[in-house]
Structures are given as C-alpha cells and as structure tokens.
Amino acid sequence: MALSPTAAQRRVIAAADPVTGRLKGAPAQLTALVKRGLAFRHPRPPHDHFLTPAGHRIREAGTESDAVTAAPETPAAPDAGGVFAARVGGEEAASGGTGPARLREVRGAWQGLLELRRMTHPDGSTDRPCAWERTHLVRAAALALEAAGHHPAGPDGGDGYRVRATPQPEAVAVYEPDGTALRGCAATLERAGWHVGEHTEPRTRARYLLASPRKV
C-alpha cells in the first residue's frame, strides 16, 4: 500500500508531466517516492522516474479536487494551470492555439502516452490503453482523436467530434454529425486500442460511438 507523501513530495508529484507522469526532483525525493509506491525508476537509461497509478491518483486528487464528472452533453473543461489538455470538443476557448505549435504539442503528448503504455504494460506493448487512460477516459479518447488529425467541435456545435462521459463504466461517447467523419473516428480509436460500436440515440436518432479501452 502506498504511504502518504510529505508536502515536499506532493509538490514533486504535482509538477509531474500530466500525461507520462515523468518526475523531476532531487534524487532523495524521487527515491522516497519509489519507497512509498508512488513512483518507479525506469530500468533503461537515463533511468527517469515516473508516477505509478497510485501516484497519478494523488496528483489528480490535488489538481482536480473540485472537478465533477461531465454529463454526456456537457463539455469537459481543459486542465487548469496551463498544462496540456486534449480537446474534447465544445470548449468555450481553445487553449494552446491551433497552428503548428499545437500540432507539435499534441503529437508529443501522444508519443508520451505510447511510451507510458510501453513502460507500464508487462509485455511492453503499445497497442492497448494503459491504467492512466482507464482513469481518464474522456481525455485519453480525445487525445487519440486529436493526435490523428480529427477536428474537435467548436463551442457553437457544428462539425467536429465531441467526446463525453457516459454512465457506463469504462466507456465514452463520441459524437460527430458527419457520418463519414464519425466512421473515421471509429477507425482511429480502434487503431488506438479501443473497442468501438456505433449506436443511435432513441430520442434524436443521432448516431454516435460508444468506445471502451481494450484490455487484451
């Protein structure tokens, strides 16, 4: 069981990369976090330290203590404090710009997530979601879509994807009014290691995707 970190260790945890969990800090602090089960030392050079799932939970508890789960039709807000956040569609303001700098940021985040998969899966695979993605379903699915070049919806609706939480465990809904684009989102998520099914809302007859992270 992970031991509770000190205030100084919490600051190190809070400063971790939000996607990969890579840590920076004094060697003694990093070693102490490993002993508490909140971090691990990568076996390969340069032997960086990364948060364990328990460490990620502590980080999220500190940065999202006032957050609430988004309803299926309510946009999820970007992360506070200016850190990277994949666009889920429908945000009032698009953080991080829309040009080449944003593209590099998104691609970097996706590569970091693939590295996190490789490090945390016992077989080193990158073809299926990892524990971090299972606890951040909306953000993980949105990152896969944005990194593949899909366009998120704006605040006024229209074309573009929208990723939303659902009452079902380990599942998100993806809306996209254009049928061809919706099928493209399905193909992207399947390549990213998600199980995807297309459904129709009984009331509106709108088509949407229900996606859940693949376990094997």
Side-chain angles (χ1 to χ4, degrees):
M1 181 179 296
L3 299 176
S4 178
T6 65
Q9 291 163 358
R10 284 184 179 274
R11 288 193 291 271
V12 174
I13 292 173
D17 184 281
V19 174
T20 65
R22 188 188 299 268
L23 292 162
K24 294 181 180 180
Q29 292 176 318
L30 299 176
T31 299
L33 288 175
V34 171
K35 290 181 178 178
R36 283 168 165 75
L38 302 174
F40 67 92
R41 183 174 181 265
H42 198 280
R44 298 178 184 175
H47 301 297
D48 287 330
H49 288 73
F50 297 83
L51 291 175
T52 62
H56 273 290
R57 287 193 293 271
I58 287 179
R59 183 185 183 280
E60 294 301 325
T63 59
E64 300 181 6
S65 58
D66 296 327
V68 295
T69 302
E73 293 300 321
T74 302
D79 285 359
V83 300
F84 175 83
R87 291 175 183 156
V88 303
E91 293 93 341
E92 287 298 328
S95 60
T98 58
R102 174 66 184 184
L103 182 60
R104 288 192 298 270
E105 187 178 32
V106 171
R107 288 177 175 173
W110 176 247
Q111 289 303 315
L113 185 56
L114 292 179
E115 177 66 7
L116 184 61
R117 289 182 177 185
R118 185 182 68 81
M119 291 186 302
T120 56
H121 285 145
D123 58 0
S125 65
T126 61
D127 62 352
R128 65 186 186 277
C130 60
W132 182 89
E133 293 169 271
R134 296 180 188 282
T135 57
H136 301 80
L137 294 171
V138 172
R139 291 162 59 186
L143 177 56
L145 293 173
E146 190 177 358
H150 294 279
H151 179 69
D156 300 323
D159 290 340
Y161 69 78
R162 292 178 295 125
V163 185
R164 299 292 180 262
T166 73
Q168 299 187 37
E170 289 205 353
V172 296
V174 179
Y175 299 86
E176 164 60 78
D178 181 86
T180 300
L182 183 66
R183 289 188 290 274
C185 289
T188 291
L189 290 172
E190 287 173 349
R191 287 193 299 269
W194 294 66
H195 289 298
V196 183
E198 189 170 337
H199 302 268
T200 301
E201 288 191 341
R203 182 174 58 84
T204 65
R205 308 305 299 171
R207 300 291 290 173
Y208 70 98
L209 305 176
L210 193 65
S212 59
R214 185 165 57 85
K215 295 183 179 180
V216 293

